[in-house]
Amino acid sequence: MVPLLLLPPAPEVLRVAIAPPAGRRKMAAAVAEEPEPELGGSVRRYLARLGALRPGPGAERPDSSRRTELHLLFDQLISESCGTAPAAGPSPQDVCALLVQACQLVHLDQEHLVSKVCQLIHHLLNRFQVLVDEQNLNFLLSYCISALKQCSSWTHVEIVQALAALVYNNGPKCQKHLPDLLGKAGLLVQLSDAAQPDMELRRAAVRSMANLCLSVPEQPYLDESYRSVCFETFLNVLQSSKTSDVDDITFCMLLQNALKGIQSLLNGGKMKLMQTDQIGSLLAVLKKCMFHGLPGLSIEMPAALYPVPLPQYDKRLPAKQEQSEPATFKQTGNRRKKSKGKQKKGEFVEEGRDSGDAGNESALGADMMKLHFENVQKNPGSDPRSRASDVANVPAGKDHLSSRYPSWKRISSSESEYSDAEGGIQSKVRSYQANVRQGALACFLSAIKSIEKRVLYGYWSAFVPDAPGIGSPQSVSLMTIALKDPSPKTRACALQVLSAILEGSKQFLSVAEDVNDHKRAFTPFSVTIASSIRELHRCLLLALVAESSSQTLTQIVKCLANLVSNAPYSRLKPGLLTRVWNQIKPYICHKDVNVRVSSLTLLGAIVSIQVPLPEVQLLLQQPSSSGLSHSGSTTPHRSNSSEQWRKPLPSEGEPGDTPAGCTSPEPCWLLRLCVSIIVLPREDSCSDSDANFPSFSSVYEPCPLRLEALQVLALLVKGHFPMAQSYFLELGEVACRCMEEMDPSVQLHGAKLLEELGTGVLQQYKPDSAISPDQRVPVSTVVTFWTMMLNGPLPGTLQSSPHPTLQTSACDALSSILPEAFSRLKNDQQILCVTLLLGLNHSENPLVKAAAARALGVYILFSCLRQDVMFVADTANAILDSLHDKSPNVRAKAAWSLGNLTDTLIINMETMGQSFHEEFSDLLLLKMLRSATEASKDRDKVKSNAVRALGNVLHFLQPYHIANPRFREAIEESLQALISTVQSEATMKVRWNACYALGNVFKNPALPLGEAPWTAQAYSALSSVVKSCKNFKVRIKSAMALSVPSRRECYGSTEQFCHIWSALVVALQKSEDTEDFLEFKYSASLRTQICQALLHLLSLAKSTDLPLIWETITENRDAIKSYVLQYLKSGAEENEAGTHTDLGEREGVLRGAIEHLGGLEKQLQGKARVRVSVYLQDILTNHASAAELRGLETPLLVTNSLHF
């Protein structure tokens, strides 16, 4: 009996017994006696056996027996490598050594052995996922390339498959072989050409090329020339058509490999698609592949799509090329803003190196995934919905559409089950076709990231069609796939792509408008986009009703949420949101937690629309049962769920206790729903079918659902505070309960809810608030609210050091307290707040430290704290400590707080007088001055507030400070810092603050303004800015600063004074010169401020200044006169509008300047006499005459209108 080679039993690996030749029987028997416990040992035995087959010295070729032994060894290795990978495989070094030794034993003229050794490379590397090291890779690649050049064509498929396995994720190590593979006459380029008759060989070559395109982190990518070759090759493959001699599955795998190659180029190579022909060609083939094999569709695509010009004015869009394609359904689309619709893990992920191979093992994974989706489709779990009733209960207006899509729903078995008895080949083909569609959508998603949005929107109509016109053919789109594709995964992929297109589309969609019915011979672009938005709403809601897969249903709702976030509903006819609102309500009680979470996200998007819409307010006020039975959705909801939402909140006060002005006929159902999800135990009847969220599964709703409810609640408070304030204290209790829980994420969202509640009250009490005092939350209620917080979990949350993000949110919440309420808190509670913030300012975590520094900057403005010198000093020391932190964010927050602190110094100086100066430490003041000067050299976010602080400190200084030698150098440095900042190329905000700071400096009479050398530098910097700065707001602030000094001596010499005067005249004439159209809206304010500065200078002028002033007036007589008349006229118009309090203020300033100059001119004699006062008097007279004429014209117009 021939002894058999015994291997250790391994259930994961298929073992094949091979009878060795007689010469090796003893070795086999020895191996049988000592079985290896691991596969790694088996590989090492094979390695030893290969070593024993090496020819001896002097032997050039192996004899026939060794050749036979090699055949047997390779057969056995190949058979063992076809099973699933074991848990503990061989080491990569052993695998590489085995392959290298195998190649060394096989000469290229032994083609059968070459074929087997290449199969061995292919199977071993794929099975054990081995990345070959560079040295062995060079040898093996050289072997394969030589084999391709020398061996017969029948071996090429196996050789190229081995090549694909070798280069997988090894692209950067293959640089020296790229000319042979991807050069002008490269092997892969030739083998992947359309002229290649062997489709299997072409597919293997395309896969090898795709594997070369995979990126490796922190490694160089392919050169541009090779990328272009690969891109063109993949594009040609995708543009090719299937011939009759090619089977469907092979062609599908060819397309898949090309799609993955393009996706790798776009993702790993960071390829930016810029050329129109390149973009158009790619999008054309992607659209073609998106519908590959879709039942009921057969489309012919042009070689390229062409963008539609996006007009800046209304005009009819050109006919889209795709609209002539045959299709059975039409959709519209829109773009999405939120990132929640982006791809999930597990979807759109590049498969392994053997993806797309003909082996059943690669198709099985995809088929099992599809089977999972189909099972969800067939058995919706505990969801009691009847799909037949779904279609039956669709409103009559949509019946004609529902008949178009339910065909795929009638498929009861998985489309990827190709082992069933109904037709395995057809099912397998459908599975591979679905993989192509998914690959095309994945590639499209990558392409969207590589194309500028403004370019992408030119192809909007190709993928997101408009509503069909009368008699127009319906075009295919992404929504066609979302509604008609039989694969739930493909439908979800299409929705992800649509979401990516929608992301960041707010500006593009903002042009949409259909509020007014247009009756014109053409369709404006705004109406076209509005129609597209409406069609997309309709299609997504239709898909919502039709969908049975929970995963795809989640994507539909997310897509709706992003559409809602971007669509300009204020410019559209009302009703869209109402349909979405009523349609999504039942899904809040869906059995799948992800559907429930996304449904809440959609409701949150609706309530967070920035422009307050009456439609949304009505939706919030409607009864909780409204829309559930008439929404057009047959999605079941929890029995009595509408009554559950209307249960009273725990510990809710009587209705009479709510603040005035917050009455509503019925409580806000969404608010109560969110509260019930957050604080009430979960109901068994609505238990979640997905057991992925074990925490609190026996008590509360799943954590993601509770967190989303908290976010919606915070958005509701933020956007609709008057409605939420009826439950102010109750919502505070909800926040307290959340912060008392153990889950940090729930605590975090509870703190964010607390911050929104505090911010809502702050907004009501702002000086410019339109809320009447009797409609605000009473201060006593706010005091009760914060007392509850400070006696509850807030102090503990602030000290929760293991969770810095939670501490940060708690700091932000504590800074939202109403100042009037803080002053009425108990003394120990006030001390607690201050102590906590001062302590957190020393945190090692930059997020916590930044939040504490900002909160201190808020507290320093409280009237009850700012007069406490000790608190001001403690806060100043804490802020100055943070100002030197290594974190830029901490320094930026600290600089903002330092600006507020110095504002407090000015307020105290004006209200408390000398007493505050005496109590405040001079040493601390000097430290503040030096720290602010240093911070003014930091990055712009720090600098903008540092220069503001500098201006305040220099304004605050007293004569004894200025005389102090310790202050002298610091003052000079700080002034130079301000002047250099004004002249710098920093951001406009920084320069605006620097001009404002110099204006503050000029207000300090103790500074030697007009005498010190820095005075001329400051005036020169401001004069330059007022004439030439691109930003008009900075010009306005510089003109204001130039008009601050109240004495002529502060302006220095006559030459300097007249230089400022001339600069202002030039600035007045340039007040309309700008390259930025957005600046024009500030030009009137700029002219007003410059005119005020000119009149201010004239009212302070000395007799020696007049000759130069008159010279400037003579040169620009008419221009100055027209601008001053316009200035006076605008003041009169403001008076008539009731926006100006002093009716004669502007005329009064002009008259004062005329009187002052008239007195000076009398002192001048002979030729030196100038007539500035006469010139100004003439302007005043002209203004009075024009005003008198306007006064006469007004009653005349009224009389004429009455006669008419």
Side-chain angles (χ1 to χ4, degrees):
M1 182 177 180
V2 179
L4 299 179
L5 177 64
L6 300 178
L7 296 175
E12 308 94 323
V13 183
L14 176 65
R15 297 296 181 187
V16 179
I18 302 291
R24 302 295 175 186
R25 289 177 184 175
K26 293 183 179 180
M27 183 169 61
V31 172
E33 294 174 1
E34 299 179 3
E36 291 286 348
E38 295 181 356
L39 188 60
S42 176
V43 169
R44 284 192 289 274
R45 280 190 295 104
Y46 284 118
L47 187 60
R49 292 176 63 184
L50 285 173
L53 291 175
R54 280 181 174 276
E60 294 182 359
R61 303 178 61 83
D63 56 21
S64 58
S65 63
R66 278 198 289 269
R67 189 176 307 162
T68 304
E69 179 69 10
L70 281 174
H71 274 290
L72 292 172
L73 278 175
F74 291 162
D75 287 342
Q76 186 169 357
L77 274 168
I78 291 170
S79 67
E80 291 183 7
S81 66
C82 289
T84 30
S91 68
Q93 293 80 5
D94 289 343
V95 173
C96 293
L98 178 70
L99 296 177
V100 168
Q101 195 163 113
C103 291
Q104 289 173 341
L105 289 172
V106 176
H107 288 254
L108 295 179
D109 57 352
Q110 299 169 331
E111 293 186 345
H112 284 87
L113 282 176
V114 170
S115 175
K116 286 186 178 181
V117 84
C118 287
Q119 290 181 48
L120 186 62
I121 293 172
H122 172 66
H123 288 296
L124 282 180
L125 295 184
N126 280 325
R127 187 188 182 206
F128 301 117
Q129 294 296 298
V130 173
L131 289 180
V132 184
D133 62 277
E134 189 166 2
Q135 181 178 357
N136 290 322
L137 179 67
N138 285 329
F139 173 81
L140 294 172
L141 278 180
S142 299
Y143 184 86
C144 290
I145 291 171
S146 299
L148 275 176
K149 293 178 179 179
Q150 298 180 32
C151 295
S152 302
S153 59
W154 68 268
T155 64
H156 286 181
V157 172
E158 287 78 11
I159 298 172
V160 176
Q161 286 179 344
L163 193 66
L166 286 168
V167 301
Y168 181 81
N169 268 345
N170 266 330
K173 301 176 186 175
C174 304
Q175 295 296 326
K176 70 178 185 178
H177 300 284
L178 291 180
D180 289 329
L181 297 174
L182 299 178
K184 289 184 178 181
L187 294 170
L188 294 181
V189 176
Q190 294 178 6
L191 295 175
S192 60
D193 189 77
Q196 173 58 240
D198 187 343
M199 189 58 68
E200 279 292 337
L201 180 56
R202 187 184 183 196
R203 182 184 67 80
V206 171
R207 192 179 68 205
S208 298
M209 195 177 290
N211 287 353
L212 270 173
C213 293
L214 289 173
S215 65
V216 179
E218 300 180 359
Q219 293 292 327
Y221 198 64
L222 289 175
D223 291 340
E224 179 62 33
S225 59
Y226 296 130
R227 275 183 277 179
S228 299
V229 169
C230 293
F231 184 81
E232 289 299 324
T233 301
F234 298 142
L235 207 57
N236 291 335
V237 169
L238 295 175
Q239 289 171 339
S240 63
S241 301
K242 187 180 83 67
T243 56
S244 58
D245 59 334
V246 178
D247 65 277
D248 290 324
I249 292 178
T250 300
F251 187 68
C252 285
M253 289 191 290
L254 175 66
L255 295 179
Q256 277 184 270
N257 291 326
L259 288 168
K260 287 172 184 173
I262 289 183
Q263 189 178 5
S264 297
L265 286 173
L266 295 173
N267 290 344
K270 308 297 181 184
M271 185 175 178
K272 291 298 180 183
L273 299 172
M274 305 295 292
Q275 300 175 6
T276 302
D277 56 344
Q278 190 181 51
I279 296 173
S281 299
L282 176 60
L283 293 183
V285 296
L286 290 181
K287 184 171 183 179
K288 175 184 175 183
C289 293
M290 279 163 42
F291 298 99
H292 182 75
L294 186 63
L297 283 181
S298 177
I299 65 172
E300 292 294 332
M301 289 296 302
L305 297 178
Y306 296 97
V308 176
L310 297 183
Q312 296 180 358
Y313 51 89
D314 290 345
K315 74 174 183 179
R316 180 71 173 177
L317 289 180
K320 294 96 178 171
Q321 289 197 6
E322 308 79 57
Q323 289 182 345
S324 62
E325 300 162 7
T328 60
F329 198 77
K330 158 121 190 193
Q331 309 296 34
T332 17
N334 225 329
R335 256 156 306 146
R336 150 194 197 182
K337 175 181 179 181
K338 287 193 179 180
S339 57
K340 291 188 177 180
K342 291 184 180 178
Q343 64 190 49
K344 293 183 186 177
K345 292 182 180 178
E347 294 186 12
F348 287 25
V349 179
E350 290 184 2
E351 298 177 16
R353 71 177 87 218
D354 202 31
S355 58
D357 202 17
N360 290 344
E361 67 274 8
S362 62
L364 185 59
D367 294 339
M368 292 303 293
M369 178 62 73
K370 293 178 181 299
L371 179 61
H372 167 71
F373 279 107
E374 249 344 290
N375 286 339
V376 175
Q377 196 171 339
K378 291 165 55 181
N379 304 309
S382 55
D383 190 345
R385 290 187 291 176
S386 167
R387 303 315 298 174
S389 65
D390 278 353
V391 179
N393 291 333
V394 171
K398 297 181 182 179
D399 284 348
H400 70 289
L401 292 167
S402 63
S403 63
R404 299 175 185 257
Y405 60 82
S407 59
W408 60 263
K409 292 171 56 183
R410 293 194 289 270
I411 300 174
S412 59
S413 63
S414 173
E415 68 276 7
S416 59
E417 278 186 79
Y418 52 80
S419 60
D420 59 355
E422 296 181 1
I425 296 297
Q426 289 80 1
S427 297
K428 186 176 181 181
V429 169
R430 288 199 300 270
S431 172
Y432 277 93
Q433 288 173 340
N435 288 340
V436 171
R437 297 196 297 273
Q438 292 164 22
L441 290 166
C443 191
F444 192 7
L445 193 64
S446 299
I448 289 172
K449 300 174 184 177
S450 304
I451 303 173
E452 288 187 46
K453 280 295 177 71
R454 63 180 182 84
V455 176
L456 178 66
Y457 295 154
Y459 300 90
W460 172 270
S461 59
F463 301 98
V464 190
D466 188 11
I470 299 176
S472 300
Q474 293 180 334
S475 61
V476 292
S477 69
L478 288 167
M479 281 307 305
T480 308
I481 303 174
L483 283 164
K484 294 180 68 69
D485 199 293
S487 165
K489 185 176 180 181
T490 309
R491 298 196 297 271
C493 291
L495 291 162
Q496 286 185 8
V497 173
L498 179 59
S499 295
I501 294 175
L502 290 170
E503 187 174 0
S505 64
K506 185 182 287 289
Q507 184 176 359
F508 174 72
L509 295 183
S510 65
V511 303
E513 184 175 15
D514 69 348
V515 175
N516 301 317
D517 292 328
H518 68 92
K519 297 180 180 180
R520 283 172 274 186
F522 64 95
T523 304
F525 182 65
S526 58
V527 175
T528 301
I529 297 299
S531 174
S532 181
I533 293 173
R534 288 189 171 278
E535 179 71 2
L536 188 53
H537 277 80
R538 185 184 70 82
C539 292
L540 285 172
L541 291 179
L542 191 61
L544 187 70
V545 176
E547 190 55 62
S548 58
S549 165
S550 296
Q551 290 85 349
T552 309
L553 193 60
T554 302
Q555 291 298 327
I556 294 172
V557 181
K558 286 182 176 181
C559 203
L560 271 170
N562 288 293
L563 173 60
V564 168
S565 299
N566 287 280
Y569 292 99
S570 60
R571 297 168 58 90
L572 303 175
K573 291 178 181 177
L576 288 177
L577 289 173
T578 301
R579 288 192 284 274
V580 174
W581 185 275
N582 292 332
Q583 196 93 344
I584 201 61
K585 265 185 173 183
Y587 290 89
I588 298 167
C589 302
H590 195 276
K591 296 301 178 181
D592 187 273
V593 66
N594 292 316
V595 176
R596 299 173 69 193
V597 170
S598 58
S599 300
L600 281 176
T601 302
L602 174 54
L603 291 173
I606 294 175
V607 301
S608 61
I609 293 174
Q610 292 182 355
V611 180
L613 294 177
E615 184 180 1
V616 176
Q617 295 175 352
L618 290 174
L619 290 172
L620 289 171
Q621 293 171 1
Q622 70 177 199
S624 57
S625 57
S626 174
L628 293 180
S629 59
H630 306 287
S631 63
S633 169
T634 58
T635 306
H637 48 277
R638 173 185 350 182
S639 59
N640 299 324
S641 61
S642 61
E643 296 301 320
Q644 166 70 24
W645 298 348
R646 299 171 67 177
K647 289 179 182 179
L649 290 171
S651 67
E652 181 184 356
E654 294 299 321
D657 297 337
T658 59
C662 301
T663 60
S664 60
E666 192 166 330
C668 175
W669 71 268
L670 180 58
L671 185 146
R672 291 182 173 277
L673 167 67
C674 292
V675 171
S676 67
I677 291 174
I678 295 164
V679 301
L680 296 183
R682 67 188 300 173
E683 296 183 4
D684 294 337
S685 61
C686 194
S687 60
D688 190 51
S689 60
D690 190 344
N692 293 329
F693 309 101
S695 58
F696 302 108
S697 58
S698 61
V699 181
Y700 293 112
E701 296 284 3
C703 188
L705 187 65
R706 299 180 71 211
L707 296 180
E708 194 63 37
L710 275 167
Q711 291 188 60
V712 174
L713 203 55
L715 291 171
L716 189 61
V717 170
K718 181 179 182 179
H720 302 271
F721 187 76
M723 183 176 295
Q725 75 180 69
S726 301
Y727 307 96
F728 186 68
L729 294 178
E730 289 78 4
L731 291 174
E733 291 183 13
V734 173
C736 273
R737 291 184 61 171
C738 290
M739 289 191 290
E740 287 170 350
E741 291 194 16
M742 299 300 294
D743 189 341
S745 59
V746 177
Q747 291 178 302
L748 174 65
H749 285 80
K752 290 185 179 295
L753 174 60
L754 173 59
E755 181 186 359
E756 292 296 346
L757 288 166
T759 304
V761 176
L762 283 175
Q763 296 293 330
Q764 286 191 337
Y765 279 84
K766 277 188 173 182
D768 57 350
S769 173
I771 306 296
S772 59
D774 60 328
Q775 298 292 320
R776 301 171 181 172
V777 180
V779 176
S780 58
T781 303
V782 183
V783 172
T784 304
F785 175 87
W786 284 105
T787 301
M788 174 174 61
M789 296 298 157
L790 293 171
N791 291 336
L794 186 56
T797 304
L798 284 163
Q799 299 175 76
S800 179
S801 55
H803 306 290
T805 307
L806 178 59
Q807 284 182 292
T808 301
S809 291
C811 273
D812 293 336
L814 193 60
S815 67
S816 67
I817 187 169
L818 184 69
E820 292 87 340
F822 184 87
S823 62
R824 291 171 59 174
L825 290 175
K826 293 180 181 179
N827 190 51
D828 58 340
Q829 291 175 332
Q830 293 184 7
I831 294 174
L832 173 64
C833 293
V834 172
T835 304
L836 286 171
L837 292 178
L838 288 172
L840 289 173
N841 192 75
H842 298 286
S843 171
E844 295 181 358
N845 186 280
L847 290 175
V848 179
K849 192 168 186 177
R854 179 190 171 277
L856 287 172
V858 173
Y859 276 45
I860 198 65
L861 296 175
F862 288 0
S863 58
C864 61
L865 292 176
R866 68 181 178 221
Q867 295 181 357
D868 184 343
V869 178
M870 293 303 298
F871 170 73
V872 174
D874 290 342
T875 302
N877 282 310
I879 291 173
L880 292 178
D881 174 69
S882 297
L883 197 60
H884 295 91
D885 194 86
K886 63 181 180 180
S887 166
N889 185 43
V890 173
R891 297 199 303 274
K893 300 292 185 184
W896 179 82
S897 295
L898 182 62
N900 287 2
L901 173 65
T902 55
D903 287 341
T904 294
L905 296 183
I906 301 300
I907 295 171
N908 287 344
M909 179 180 71
E910 294 171 352
T911 56
M912 299 175 62
Q914 192 64 27
S915 61
F916 184 79
H917 282 103
E918 293 173 353
E919 295 181 28
F920 196 76
S921 168
D922 292 349
L923 189 60
L924 180 57
L925 188 64
L926 179 60
K927 186 178 178 182
M928 290 169 59
L929 187 62
R930 287 175 173 164
S931 297
T933 303
E934 183 180 350
S936 69
K937 302 170 186 175
D938 206 331
R939 57 183 62 192
D940 284 354
K941 286 186 177 181
V942 180
K943 186 184 297 186
S944 61
N945 284 295
V947 293
R948 176 166 72 100
L950 275 180
N952 284 330
V953 173
L954 291 170
H955 182 194
F956 181 79
L957 294 177
Q958 297 300 298
Y960 63 87
H961 292 132
I962 297 170
N964 190 328
R966 291 189 301 175
F967 275 85
R968 194 171 299 151
E969 183 180 353
I971 292 173
E972 181 66 29
E973 289 180 0
S974 62
L975 286 166
Q976 292 300 326
L978 283 180
I979 294 168
S980 62
T981 304
V982 170
Q983 296 173 323
S984 69
E985 294 298 326
T987 60
M988 297 303 118
K989 182 178 179 181
V990 173
R991 300 181 72 185
W992 188 95
N993 275 331
C995 293
Y996 171 82
L998 278 179
N1000 263 344
V1001 172
F1002 294 165
K1003 293 177 183 177
N1004 190 343
L1007 290 171
L1009 190 60
E1011 301 173 3
W1014 56 264
T1015 303
Q1017 298 173 353
Y1019 285 137
S1020 175
L1022 291 172
S1023 299
S1024 175
V1025 167
V1026 80
K1027 291 187 296 184
S1028 59
C1029 184
K1030 295 179 180 179
N1031 187 279
F1032 277 17
K1033 294 171 79 173
V1034 177
R1035 291 198 205 183
I1036 291 169
K1037 190 53 66 175
S1038 62
M1040 291 178 66
L1042 287 171
S1043 61
V1044 165
S1046 56
R1047 296 179 296 111
R1048 171 60 185 84
E1049 291 77 13
C1050 296
Y1051 286 100
S1053 65
T1054 297
E1055 182 182 359
Q1056 185 167 286
F1057 180 86
C1058 293
H1059 175 74
I1060 297 171
W1061 161 267
S1062 300
L1064 288 170
V1065 171
V1066 172
L1068 188 62
Q1069 293 174 309
K1070 291 184 176 181
S1071 58
E1072 295 180 355
D1073 296 346
T1074 178
E1075 298 176 358
D1076 189 352
F1077 181 77
L1078 296 176
E1079 294 297 325
F1080 275 113
K1081 61 183 177 181
Y1082 302 112
S1083 60
S1085 299
L1086 175 60
R1087 287 192 295 272
T1088 296
Q1089 193 58 55
I1090 293 175
C1091 287
Q1092 289 176 355
L1094 286 171
L1095 294 178
H1096 175 74
L1097 288 177
L1098 289 175
S1099 64
L1100 297 179
K1102 298 190 301 185
S1103 57
T1104 54
D1105 303 327
L1106 294 184
L1108 291 176
I1109 291 175
W1110 178 247
E1111 181 181 343
T1112 306
I1113 290 176
T1114 303
E1115 294 173 357
N1116 306 278
R1117 175 185 294 270
D1118 294 336
I1120 296 174
K1121 181 178 180 179
S1122 64
Y1123 283 123
V1124 175
L1125 281 173
Q1126 187 179 359
Y1127 163 72
L1128 296 173
K1129 179 182 176 182
S1130 62
E1133 291 171 352
E1134 290 175 3
N1135 293 338
E1136 293 171 4
T1139 60
H1140 203 70
T1141 54
D1142 188 354
L1143 298 179
E1145 181 178 350
R1146 297 189 180 186
E1147 292 88 340
V1149 173
L1150 181 56
R1151 288 192 182 95
I1154 292 171
E1155 293 177 4
H1156 173 71
L1157 293 172
L1160 293 178
E1161 288 171 355
K1162 290 179 182 179
Q1163 301 174 11
L1164 296 177
Q1165 300 295 329
K1167 296 181 181 179
R1169 186 169 183 176
V1170 294
R1171 298 191 173 274
V1172 179
S1173 61
V1174 175
Y1175 172 77
L1176 296 178
Q1177 184 63 53
D1178 181 55
I1179 293 175
L1180 186 58
T1181 303
N1182 286 348
H1183 168 66
S1185 301
E1188 185 177 352
L1189 286 174
R1190 285 195 300 271
L1192 291 174
E1193 288 173 357
T1194 303
L1196 182 61
L1197 290 173
V1198 173
T1199 304
N1200 290 338
S1201 64
L1202 290 175
H1203 285 299
F1204 178 78

